[in-house]
Amino acid sequence: ELGALKVMVSSDDKVEITSGEELGISSGGRRELVTARVGAPEHWSCQLLPQGWTAQPVDADTLEVLKEICQVHNREALGQGRDAQRYRRTYRNLEVHCAWRIEDLDLWMRFEVERRVVHRQIASLTASGLPQFHNSRIADPAARLPGLPTPGVRETWFLHGSKPDLVLSILNGGLNDRVASSSGAFGAGIYLAEDIEKADQYAQPDAGFEAPGMEEL
């Protein structure tokens, strides 16, 4: 359900959202109030920045679940595969050190609309008999993450690996199959995986990371 939120823009352009029915915008000593209704997941911090999204460190419980999801089960598969990126050295394991949750109200509301459309389509096709739905292998541990998949929409959890130079565009606009490379095994599209070993094939070290020697992370 869409809920009312109060948005306050401070002098440093940071946006704070709290429960309420007014959208408050302050700029140069001038304060304006307008009514707005926006929806956000309950576990979000509801802090927005001018670019429209914010990165929030996940809590300790969420981090532990992500570590479980990203456990390597087949070390021989690391660095292997058609699209595997080559590192300067071999490695035998992957470990999650930290994680952030990306909060973008605009993308979330767009997702909510699309989810309602899918729900309606699935409901209309149920009578004709839909193929059996299979959850991904990471669905069980992912069930302990905040924000459960919506019943009736056939949502589940997957992983995605990408290059460092593509991260900012993904943060700003989400995953977009319209600008995906056509060189994939099945053509242009958004490729997702159940195994961290597979997602790792598409990740690369961030050569621009600020601390020397940390690019391997």
Side-chain angles (χ1 to χ4, degrees), residues 107 110 160 162 169-171 173-179 190-192:
L107 287 182
R110 185 193 306 174
H160 178 76
S162 190
S169 65
I170 293 175
L171 294 179
L175 296 172
N176 190 342
D177 61 329
R178 295 183 179 87
V179 296
I190 298 171
Y191 286 70
L192 306 171

Side-chain angles (χ1 to χ4, degrees), residues 9-26:
V9 184
S10 61
S11 58
D12 60 357
D13 289 332
K14 186 177 180 181
V15 180
E16 300 285 347
I17 301 179
T18 58
S19 298
E21 296 183 353
E22 294 178 328
L23 174 64
I25 302 177
S26 300

Side-chain angles (χ1 to χ4, degrees), residues 150-215:
T150 301
V153 187
R154 297 192 166 202
E155 288 181 333
T156 190
W157 298 90
F158 288 99
L159 304 170
H160 178 76
S162 190
K163 301 176 182 178
D165 56 330
L166 298 178
V167 171
L168 187 58
S169 65
I170 293 175
L171 294 179
N172 284 321
L175 296 172
N176 190 342
D177 61 329
R178 295 183 179 87
V179 296
S181 171
S182 60
S183 61
F186 301 99
I190 298 171
Y191 286 70
L192 306 171
E194 297 177 280
D195 303 305
I196 189 64
E197 297 93 325
K198 185 64 177 178
D200 174 63
Q201 294 180 13
Y202 300 89
Q204 293 181 359
D206 187 355
F209 199 79
E210 58 214 1
M214 293 292 287
E215 65 273 5

Side-chain angles (χ1 to χ4, degrees), residues 54-59 62-63 66 97-103 209:
T54 183
Q56 296 292 332
V58 301
D59 57 42
T62 298
L63 184 61
L66 293 175
H97 288 269
C98 50
W100 295 264
R101 178 182 60 255
I102 305 303
E103 300 179 359
F209 199 79

Side-chain angles (χ1 to χ4, degrees), residues 20-67:
E21 296 183 353
E22 294 178 328
L23 174 64
I25 302 177
S26 300
S27 178
R30 181 173 55 87
R31 185 172 184 271
E32 297 179 356
L33 291 177
V34 296
T35 300
R37 296 186 66 82
V38 292
E42 293 182 356
H43 62 280
W44 278 23
S45 67
C46 292
Q47 294 181 351
L48 303 181
L49 296 176
Q51 72 264 22
W53 56 267
T54 183
Q56 296 292 332
V58 301
D59 57 42
D61 291 339
T62 298
L63 184 61
E64 288 304 312
V65 175
L66 293 175
K67 288 181 178 181

Side-chain angles (χ1 to χ4, degrees), residues 101-118:
R101 178 182 60 255
I102 305 303
E103 300 179 359
D104 187 319
L105 275 175
D106 291 335
L107 287 182
W108 177 261
M109 294 179 72
R110 185 193 306 174
F111 170 70
E112 286 277 88
V113 171
E114 293 295 335
R115 182 159 57 182
R116 288 196 294 271
V117 171
V118 171

